[in-house]
Amino acid sequence: MESVMKTSDLNHHRIKTNGIHIHVAEKQGQGPFVLLLHGFPETWVSWHHQIHDLANHGYHVVAPDLRGYGDSDSPPSPSSYTMFHIVADLIGLLDHFNQQKVFVVGHDWGATAAWHLSLFRPDRVKGMVAMCVPFFPRDPYIKPTLFFKQSFGDDLYINQFQEAGRAERSFAKYDHLTVIKKFLLINQTDVLIAPRGMEIIDDMEIPSQLPPWITEQELQIYADKFQQSGFTGGLNYYRTMDLTWELLAPWQGSKITVPSKFIIGDKDIGYKSFSKPYIEGNVMKTLVPDIEVVILEGHHFIQQEKPKQVSDEIISFIQKLVLD
């Protein structure tokens, strides 16, 4: 497997956008521009396979640390992490690189950012690939946290993450490498709900041996970054879900019009027990009319677990749109 340490041929920049600095890793081909957006708890490094695969096909690839992560700025207030802030950061990056219209690929919270970039500014997106988190319609009557509470109870990880400092205190009982392993190596397929009275991080288990797709060295790279940055920036995405919901009211009922591809692993958290009927049924297709759904064998961190398959899916999607 190609080591994540093969990063010497990448350019790194800290770019001023939307009042903060965002760090990006860049590998420049002459072809179309592709923006890669990571999720929780990751950094740009989660795309190391795809950066090289896409660049080898001639694409100009940029993978930022989203605000709150890695070497990007981390504003202290949770209210600075709405999808409007994240999309504004991304528009600033596109303007910095003089890119009017790009391809965007996102995983987890990065998928949510890619959906909203496509929703707010379809004029800037040629096509998008989202992984693991589908585009959910805005419920006009119920805030996300209340929906999750009613559906899964107080001990769903999303609900435990709401209170400022709570998850940080529970994570702090472990070293950063252990926390990263508990998340990135997750092979639980059901929704993450802690037993009553227990913190979710205490209930998460680490497999007895590393899977073949990641090395101890690569996991340590994440751990070192989170040791510097802390987890609060990433957790603030969860803490601002209700605020994003309030601000999204003008887009009630809006559709995603850009060509889209959705990729998910068949063993992703909650896929079989929660999101499968939505993803495979007609509801998402009415909200995202031009969508192709791909289900791969794998878990949540699919772009690292199945790097070649994911790269091939991204490249075939882009090539089809470029030819059109």
Side-chain angles (χ1 to χ4, degrees), residues 40-41 167-168 170-185 201 204 206 219 223 226 231:
F40 177 89
E168 290 91 331
S170 68
F171 289 9
K173 290 181 279 186
Y174 304 92
D175 62 73
H176 288 80
L177 182 59
T178 300
V179 175
I180 291 298
K181 283 182 175 178
K182 281 177 177 257
F183 280 105
L184 263 61
L185 306 182
I201 196 75
M204 296 170 79
I206 297 174
L219 289 160
F226 281 99
F231 290 97

Side-chain angles (χ1 to χ4, degrees), residues 60-86:
H60 181 179
V61 190
V62 167
D65 286 331
L66 296 180
R67 72 162 55 200
Y69 286 95
D71 294 317
S72 292
D73 288 349
S74 187
S77 169
S79 62
S80 295
Y81 291 82
T82 71
M83 275 302 117
F84 293 84
H85 291 86
I86 309 309

Side-chain angles (χ1 to χ4, degrees), residues 5-6 18 38 42 50 154 193 202 229 256 293 300 322:
M5 296 309 289
K6 193 197 161 197
N18 192 26
H38 68 81
E42 297 172 284
Q50 286 73 36
D154 288 329
I193 303 173
D202 298 332
S229 68
I256 303 280
V293 175
H300 183 64
V322 169

Side-chain angles (χ1 to χ4, degrees), residues 25 28 58 96 119 123 126 133 143 153 171 186 196 200 230 241 243 248 253 268 280:
Q28 191 163 355
H96 171 86
L119 179 67
D123 58 310
K126 287 180 192 165
V133 177
K143 291 182 177 183
F171 289 9
I186 195 162
R196 186 176 294 280
I200 195 71
M241 293 168 90
L243 179 56
L248 273 172
D268 202 326
E280 295 183 14

Side-chain angles (χ1 to χ4, degrees), residues 23-281:
H23 163 258
V24 306
E26 177 193 25
K27 190 162 184 185
Q28 191 163 355
Q30 297 307 308
F33 189 98
V34 186
L35 188 63
L36 303 175
L37 309 176
H38 68 81
F40 177 89
E42 297 172 284
T43 64
W44 72 269
V45 170
S46 67
W47 296 110
H48 70 99
H49 294 290
Q50 286 73 36
I51 291 171
H52 294 294
D53 291 345
L54 288 161
N56 288 342
H57 277 77
Y59 298 112
H60 181 179
V61 190
V62 167
D65 286 331
L66 296 180
R67 72 162 55 200
Y69 286 95
D71 294 317
S72 292
D73 288 349
S74 187
S77 169
S79 62
S80 295
Y81 291 82
T82 71
M83 275 302 117
F84 293 84
H85 291 86
I86 309 309
V87 170
D89 295 346
L90 301 177
I91 292 294
L93 292 184
L94 300 189
D95 290 347
H96 171 86
F97 287 104
N98 286 321
Q99 297 292 330
Q100 181 51 39
K101 210 164 185 183
V102 305
F103 293 99
V104 60
V105 180
H107 171 259
D108 188 79
W109 273 108
T112 302
W115 289 122
H116 285 86
L117 175 62
S118 302
L119 179 67
F120 299 153
R121 295 300 302 272
D123 58 310
R124 305 299 296 267
V125 183
K126 287 180 192 165
M128 64 149 293
V129 179
M131 291 178 214
C132 303
V133 177
F135 178 69
F136 287 113
R138 179 186 183 275
D139 187 317
Y141 306 111
I142 184 168
K143 291 182 177 183
T145 55
L146 190 55
F147 166 80
F148 285 121
K149 190 171 183 170
Q150 290 180 357
S151 303
F152 301 105
D154 288 329
D155 291 308
L156 178 74
Y157 74 103
I158 290 170
N159 296 336
Q160 287 198 356
F161 286 176
Q162 292 304 311
E163 182 191 326
R166 176 180 173 180
E168 290 91 331
R169 286 191 297 274
S170 68
F171 289 9
K173 290 181 279 186
Y174 304 92
D175 62 73
H176 288 80
L177 182 59
T178 300
V179 175
I180 291 298
K181 283 182 175 178
K182 281 177 177 257
F183 280 105
L184 263 61
L185 306 182
I186 195 162
N187 50 26
Q188 177 178 335
T189 56
D190 209 352
V191 181
L192 288 181
I193 303 173
R196 186 176 294 280
M198 187 184 269
E199 296 298 311
I200 195 71
I201 196 75
D202 298 332
D203 188 49
M204 296 170 79
E205 295 179 351
I206 297 174
S208 54
Q209 61 188 60
L210 288 185
W213 53 267
I214 199 160
T215 66
E216 191 83 18
Q217 178 192 33
E218 289 166 349
L219 289 160
Q220 189 65 54
I221 288 170
Y222 289 109
D224 290 346
K225 276 294 165 209
F226 281 99
Q227 189 149 7
Q228 291 168 21
S229 68
F231 290 97
T232 300
L235 290 163
N236 279 340
Y237 286 65
Y238 296 92
R239 292 169 184 159
T240 191
M241 293 168 90
D242 285 351
L243 179 56
T244 289
W245 175 86
E246 288 177 26
L247 297 171
L248 273 172
W251 283 266
Q252 186 67 43
S254 291
K255 297 184 179 186
I256 303 280
T257 57
V258 305
S260 307
K261 184 180 240 182
F262 180 69
I263 301 171
I264 193 166
D266 62 351
K267 299 176 194 67
D268 202 326
I269 312 150
Y271 166 63
K272 283 191 171 141
S273 61
F274 174 61
S275 58
K276 187 174 194 279
Y278 174 74
I279 290 163
E280 295 183 14

